[in-house]
Amino acid sequence: MKISSLKHGLLVGFLLFYQWSMAQIPVDTLLPVRGFCIGSPQSSRVDEFVQFIEKELAPRQVNTLILRVDFNYEFKSHPELRDSVALSRREVKRMVNACQKHHIRLIPQINLLGHQSWAAKTTNLLRVYPQFDETPHVKMPEKYQWPNADGLYCKSYCPLHPDVHKVVFELVDEICDVFEADAFHAGMDEVFYIGDDKCPRCSGRDKAELFAGEVKTIRDHLAQNGRTLWIWGDRLLDGKTTGLGMWEASMNSTHRAIDLIPKDVLICDWHYERPDQTPVYFAMKGLKVMTCPWRMPKNAVLQVQDMVKFRATATKAMKDRFHGMIQTVWSDAGSFLDEYYGRKKTDESGNTASNCFRALYEEIGKIASN
């Protein structure tokens, strides 16, 4: 009984000390990255989105904004790749200025490697430059459905095509310059087509080496201008061994690339249906990692609690690799704003991106103010 009471007393003492110690840590130390990721606004919604930055992101101490731009910009280097309606330089600068005013790091994203199509539509890069297609023999259907005989989810460009990086990097450099960015997000999630057997350049090659090679190629290009590379982490997880499956992890052997990529690549680790604790795996591999929820508030709360705990209990070498939290929104900014401000009907379960965002930052606020 005495030993049991002693153990209980020690446990209570540890928990009290843990809570006290957390209360003494500034929010920047508690979570170095407190992020928000969303599709860039259309021109007509820029003013409203700037107000969202100032009235919603800044007061919550969000310090990182990832904007999925893709081709929603009036590129001068490749005007043929612009969306039909695209952001002007002046409109981008309005967002840049708002972020700088509130000390928010602004990071643009263009999907590289994968996500070069969506449903039955080929997106701009492969539509204009079809020679870059990893799987030209896979034709886009009139009506898309999953699963399908071709295993088509999204098209990829061939990472070994001799001309693809000239085009891609001109886009990357231009978008990073106009956003005044010191980092770039390359996407690289859900890459199902890589090392295809019919590709004259990639056939027979190791898929993990191909994926790692593309990561390194992009990383090295960015490093020439002092910029860092951010990517989604799913292709670096073993979907079979972990049971995470083909969406949140890899079933085509790219997971071994985790040991081949540079250690200064930052990982955005997304899990939406379960709060899986894979940040520990990335950190143990020497990579900085941020956990990324989407639409389930309960999961987001557990994930931020886990991230704070990881940082509090990690070794000195690993602590800073547990780098923070990023709320992800898988729509354009306008659709999210309509949801957030109650202008459209939402899921009655409460599992929405806007509710998840509120819950995540409410929990961060609670932890920071204890």
Side-chain angles (χ1 to χ4, degrees):
M1 288 294 292
K2 290 182 179 179
I3 294 175
S4 178
S5 297
L6 178 61
K7 287 182 177 179
H8 177 74
L10 290 172
L11 177 59
V12 171
F14 171 77
L15 291 174
L16 289 172
F17 174 77
Y18 173 74
Q19 292 175 349
W20 173 86
S21 63
M22 290 299 96
Q24 310 306 307
I25 300 176
V27 69
D28 285 334
T29 303
L30 191 74
L31 292 169
V33 169
R34 302 176 303 283
F36 188 78
C37 173
I38 194 169
S40 56
Q42 296 298 310
S43 296
S44 61
R45 307 298 291 268
V46 169
D47 288 347
E48 188 180 6
F49 188 67
V50 168
Q51 289 185 358
F52 179 78
I53 292 171
E54 295 183 335
K55 295 182 179 180
E56 305 293 345
L57 297 187
R60 288 177 169 86
Q61 298 187 69
V62 171
N63 67 359
T64 304
L65 173 59
I66 300 170
L67 276 186
R68 300 194 312 276
V69 180
D70 291 315
F71 305 104
N72 180 23
Y73 178 65
E74 295 179 349
F75 288 101
K76 288 184 169 55
S77 59
H78 288 279
E80 74 278 10
L81 293 175
R82 299 174 182 175
D83 286 340
S84 57
V85 177
L87 294 169
S88 68
R89 178 183 177 85
R90 178 176 294 181
E91 288 163 341
V92 168
K93 289 302 183 183
R94 291 204 60 226
M95 294 185 284
V96 170
N97 292 338
C99 286
Q100 291 178 346
K101 174 183 175 182
H102 296 287
H103 309 289
I104 297 173
R105 187 183 192 188
L106 186 53
I107 301 174
Q109 176 185 320
I110 298 174
N111 274 315
L112 300 187
L113 192 57
H115 277 280
Q116 302 304 319
S117 70
W118 183 251
K121 178 184 177 182
T122 302
T123 51
N124 300 18
L125 182 68
L126 297 189
R127 179 177 54 79
V128 177
Y129 297 102
Q131 66 270 32
F132 296 161
D133 193 343
E134 172 77 4
T135 54
H137 57 280
V138 176
K139 304 305 178 183
M140 299 302 293
E142 291 185 11
K143 184 178 180 180
Y144 179 82
Q145 62 180 7
W146 178 269
N148 56 73
D150 290 319
L152 171 64
Y153 173 55
C154 294
K155 287 268 192 176
S156 302
Y157 65 67
C158 173
L160 299 185
H161 192 286
D163 301 323
V164 70
H165 290 113
K166 180 181 186 299
V167 174
V168 164
F169 288 160
E170 286 172 350
L171 296 176
V172 170
D173 290 347
E174 184 175 355
I175 206 68
C176 286
D177 285 345
V178 72
F179 275 86
E180 301 178 32
D182 62 359
F184 171 79
H185 201 303
M188 305 192 74
D189 58 318
E190 299 174 331
V191 177
F192 292 177
Y193 285 155
I194 186 169
D196 188 79
D197 290 342
K198 294 183 180 180
C199 177
R201 295 164 294 272
C202 299
S203 177
R205 290 179 178 264
D206 185 291
K207 290 178 172 58
E209 292 182 0
L210 282 171
F211 188 85
E214 183 65 2
V215 171
K216 188 175 187 301
T217 296
I218 299 166
R219 178 264 175 204
D220 289 352
H221 176 80
L222 291 168
Q224 293 174 14
N225 292 304
R227 294 172 177 139
T228 56
L229 172 62
W230 295 37
I231 63 172
W232 303 113
D234 52 289
R235 296 306 94 187
L236 303 176
L237 299 172
D238 184 343
K240 184 176 181 180
T241 300
T242 62
L244 290 170
M246 67 189 299
W247 303 101
E248 297 188 20
S250 170
M251 299 288 279
N252 60 358
S253 301
T254 61
H255 61 276
R256 290 182 287 102
I258 197 168
D259 294 317
L260 305 174
I261 66 173
K263 298 303 183 185
D264 58 1
V265 175
L266 279 78
I267 306 299
C268 299
D269 181 34
W270 62 273
H271 295 294
Y272 297 153
E273 306 304 317
R274 293 164 40 93
D276 292 292
Q277 297 182 343
T278 47
V280 176
Y281 177 69
F282 287 111
M284 291 182 71
K285 290 292 186 176
L287 296 160
K288 288 184 176 179
V289 58
M290 289 78 63
T291 296
C292 305
W294 170 33
R295 62 183 179 89
M296 291 192 173
K298 290 183 179 179
N299 282 354
V301 169
L302 291 173
Q303 287 169 318
V304 73
Q305 290 172 352
D306 283 342
M307 183 59 69
V308 170
K309 179 181 67 176
F310 295 153
R311 286 182 59 81
T313 59
T315 63
K316 183 178 180 181
M318 285 181 58
K319 177 179 178 179
D320 195 48
R321 296 176 198 160
F322 297 107
H323 216 50
M325 299 291 302
I326 300 172
Q327 168 69 36
T328 61
V329 177
W330 293 104
S331 71
D332 66 278
S335 295
F336 174 80
L337 292 173
D338 289 341
E339 174 189 300
Y340 186 82
Y341 291 114
R343 293 192 289 259
K344 72 175 184 179
K345 187 177 180 180
T346 59
D347 191 326
E348 293 180 359
S349 71
N351 290 329
T352 66
S354 55
N355 285 339
C356 190
F357 167 66
R358 289 186 176 99
L360 172 64
Y361 278 94
E362 181 180 351
E363 184 64 19
I364 292 173
K366 287 178 182 176
I367 296 172
S369 63
N370 277 342

